[in-house]
Amino acid sequence: VQLQASGGGLVQAGGSLRLSCVVSGWTTIDNFINWFRQAPGKEREFVSGIKWREGTKRYADFVKGRFTISRVAAKNTVYLQMNSLESEDTAVYYCSSSNERVTTAAGASSWGQGTLVTVSS
């Protein structure tokens, strides 16, 4: 599978961004599409995930109520709408695929390139 992330940028605290992840070359093990992020000096952490067929969604506690994950099957695209952004959300955001539900980066099977989100305070 190939994943292409885009949509990052510079935004002021309280602002919004929408990230996109275009997926191609699906395989039978790509059941979930996930968003992770990695801030400087920190480990890559799970942000949100969606089960492609059923559309069931999961979020890390630190983004609940602020971020929304969605998919448009016709476009093979997963979106991450990020609202009420905080300086702590500054990170490189990655989309990934996995066979099972994951909470750590070790569980992901494929990765796209990252897209940088910078939130200024």
Side-chain angles (χ1 to χ4, degrees):
V1 66
Q2 290 78 46
L3 305 114
Q4 181 75 33
S6 62
L10 174 64
V11 64
Q12 288 187 332
S16 299
L17 280 175
R18 188 179 76 161
L19 306 183
S20 301
C21 177
V22 178
V23 186
S24 61
W26 289 95
T27 71
T28 55
I29 66 170
D30 303 312
N31 296 316
F32 295 81
I33 302 298
N34 313 289
W35 287 99
F36 283 79
R37 71 184 187 185
Q38 188 166 19
K42 294 188 177 181
E43 292 187 353
R44 196 169 295 189
E45 62 181 353
F46 174 81
V47 176
S48 182
I50 187 166
K51 192 171 185 181
W52 184 261
R53 288 193 188 89
E54 290 83 2
T56 51
K57 306 171 185 180
R58 290 172 55 240
Y59 298 95
D61 287 343
F62 57 78
V63 302
K64 281 183 180 177
R66 299 190 299 127
F67 293 8
T68 303
I69 192 170
S70 62
R71 76 193 188 315
V72 175
K75 294 185 177 182
N76 281 334
T77 301
V78 172
Y79 299 99
L80 185 68
Q81 177 67 44
M82 306 187 295
N83 299 328
S84 302
L85 284 163
E86 305 166 352
S87 57
E88 293 79 11
D89 296 317
T90 295
V92 177
Y93 284 71
Y94 299 88
C95 58
S96 68
S97 67
S98 61
N99 185 33
E100 301 292 340
R101 194 176 76 168
V102 296
T103 55
T104 67
S109 52
S110 296
W111 293 91
Q113 93 294 353
T115 185
L116 177 62
V117 172
T118 304
V119 183
S120 63
S121 57

